[in-house]
Amino acid sequence: MCTAATYLTGDFYFGRNLDYEFSYGDEVTITPRNYPFHFRSLEKELTAHYAMIGMAYIAGDYPLYYDAVNEKGLCIAGLNFVGNAAYQEPVPEKDNVAQFELIPWLLGQCASVKEARELIARMNLTNIPFSEKLPLAQLHWLISDRTESITLEAMKDGLHVYDNPVGVLTNNPPFPYQMFQLNNYMQLSPATPENHFSKELPFKTYSRGMGAIGLPGDLSSQSRFIRAAFTKMNACSGDSEEESVSQFFHILTSVEQQRGCCLLENGKYEITLYSSCCNADKGIYYYTTYDNRQISAVYMNHEDLESSTLVRYPIIQKASIHTVN
């Protein structure tokens, strides 16, 4: 399970929690402009495209991105959508793009959500797996730039593109149901509540934060969507990079998963393996991991973006504790 979100101060920020029971060996990966992308069902190849940075698992020198942003500030994150995701057989007169090819297909060619909508309208998302050892992942996607966000869902009845006014996505149920549930929480507020229960009862607030009583605190995807949306929509910070990045990680922390709280049938626990925050305007990818809370940063523009070779940085898992005495 996962949570993705956007945040806008002076710059635009995009990131996610990746929640799972094990890691594939994730790396912060920069794909420069001349790295060749070959597609399984398309004659067109992307041998020159926008550079991108994100978290990926590298399989045979191919970046399988979980989330990424390109040099124009377009961002995408894929989140589990188990039981609802469905992909199609290739069809004529469509751009047949395999599920694992979606992020480079869009980020390589599109500078905005508007341009991504145009490519998606011509696209058929196919059921071709990367390999026998890496079967199809059941996903849906948050696609964002600094002006708008959309949710893309591939289901049995085809592709669905939804405007996403909150800039947040979790897992199930399908996005329209996630959004509808927010109606049940319209009474929540960061302000001190007033007594609307009865004029005849002298109720008083006995604690700060009572305006958010009723905000769900469990780890289900629907509850995380509501909690992340409330936190993100009410979050505020200064425009500096330090303040913005710090606040974004606090938004993600509101829905992180701790080891021991989500027990799976195999006896393992789902945890937040990593949290990311990318400054989409400057191409800086920040991250923390479950055991390393120190924020690490990788700068896309510090690399040779005219290269044809992937740039890979294994994530730092071990904590570094600053001793002050």
Side-chain angles (χ1 to χ4, degrees):
M1 298 297 183
C2 307
T3 305
T6 63
Y7 190 54
L8 182 64
T9 58
D11 287 340
F12 175 60
Y13 299 87
F14 181 93
R16 58 99 55 82
N17 287 343
L18 191 141
D19 306 325
Y20 208 58
E21 63 267 32
F22 65 88
S23 170
Y24 283 93
D26 317 318
E27 298 176 282
V28 180
T29 303
I30 298 168
T31 302
R33 299 180 186 119
N34 294 304
Y35 172 90
F37 280 111
H38 308 285
F39 299 96
R40 300 289 178 88
S41 301
L42 292 168
E43 293 183 5
K44 179 178 180 178
E45 297 183 351
L46 292 182
T47 54
H49 50 77
Y50 295 132
M52 60 195 78
I53 183 172
M55 192 71 76
Y57 167 59
I58 309 300
D61 198 45
Y62 188 95
L64 295 168
Y65 277 111
Y66 307 132
D67 53 88
V69 56
N70 71 13
E71 60 185 294
K72 297 297 183 180
L74 183 64
C75 313
I76 306 180
L79 293 84
N80 273 340
F81 193 44
V82 177
N84 285 302
Y87 312 115
Q88 310 299 322
E89 295 287 338
V91 296
E93 300 180 357
K94 284 280 191 177
D95 292 333
N96 292 295
V97 178
Q99 168 264 315
F100 66 89
E101 298 170 336
L102 175 69
I103 289 180
W105 174 252
L106 293 179
L107 292 188
Q109 302 177 85
C110 301
S112 65
V113 170
K114 180 181 178 180
E115 293 182 7
R117 288 180 189 267
E118 294 173 359
L119 279 193
I120 291 168
R122 306 193 302 268
M123 185 179 71
N124 176 46
L125 208 55
T126 70
N127 57 5
I128 299 172
F130 182 81
S131 68
E132 291 184 1
K133 294 183 179 180
L134 292 171
L136 288 166
Q138 298 185 60
L139 304 175
H140 60 174
W141 294 266
L142 178 63
I143 306 172
S144 305
D145 60 26
R146 67 181 293 119
T147 61
E148 62 176 323
S149 294
I150 58 175
T151 297
L152 174 64
E153 296 183 340
M155 302 178 70
K156 289 182 180 179
D157 58 348
L159 285 177
H160 301 275
V161 178
Y162 303 104
D163 291 334
N164 186 329
V166 296
V168 171
L169 187 65
T170 56
N171 310 103
N172 288 312
F175 183 69
Y177 297 97
Q178 293 193 29
M179 281 296 298
F180 181 80
Q181 287 297 318
L182 292 180
N183 287 285
N184 295 327
Y185 299 90
M186 67 174 73
Q187 80 281 1
L188 299 186
S189 170
T192 301
E194 297 180 3
N195 177 14
H196 297 291
F197 190 91
S198 171
K199 295 180 180 178
E200 314 226 350
L201 297 173
F203 292 142
K204 296 181 179 179
T205 57
Y206 56 85
S207 171
R208 295 177 177 178
M210 292 178 66
I213 286 179
L215 184 67
D218 64 88
L219 298 178
S220 68
S221 55
Q222 180 66 80
S223 293
R224 283 185 286 105
F225 178 80
I226 294 161
R227 195 160 67 255
F230 177 81
T231 305
K232 177 262 172 89
M233 298 300 283
N234 290 287
C236 57
S237 72
D239 287 348
S240 73
E241 187 73 352
E242 293 79 8
E243 291 170 293
S244 301
V245 171
S246 174
Q247 185 70 328
F248 190 90
F249 277 110
H250 281 296
I251 294 168
L252 293 179
T253 299
S254 73
V255 288
E256 71 177 0
Q257 298 204 37
Q258 299 80 23
R259 183 178 288 113
C261 294
C262 183
L263 177 62
L264 306 178
E265 293 180 356
N266 58 11
K268 296 183 179 181
Y269 294 99
E270 183 166 278
I271 63 173
T272 299
L273 294 174
Y274 75 82
S275 301
S276 66
C277 166
C278 191
N279 183 322
D281 294 329
K282 295 184 172 67
I284 309 171
Y285 192 92
Y286 302 95
Y287 71 89
T288 63
T289 66
Y290 190 87
D291 290 316
N292 182 15
R293 309 298 288 179
Q294 181 181 21
I295 298 173
S296 301
V298 179
Y299 287 67
M300 178 168 63
N301 292 312
H302 287 184
E303 305 296 337
D304 177 12
L305 298 185
E306 295 300 331
S307 170
S308 60
T309 304
L310 297 178
V311 180
R312 302 164 55 176
Y313 290 96
I315 60 177
I316 303 170
Q317 299 280 8
K318 187 176 180 181
S320 177
I321 299 174
H322 178 62
T323 302
V324 297
N325 65 354

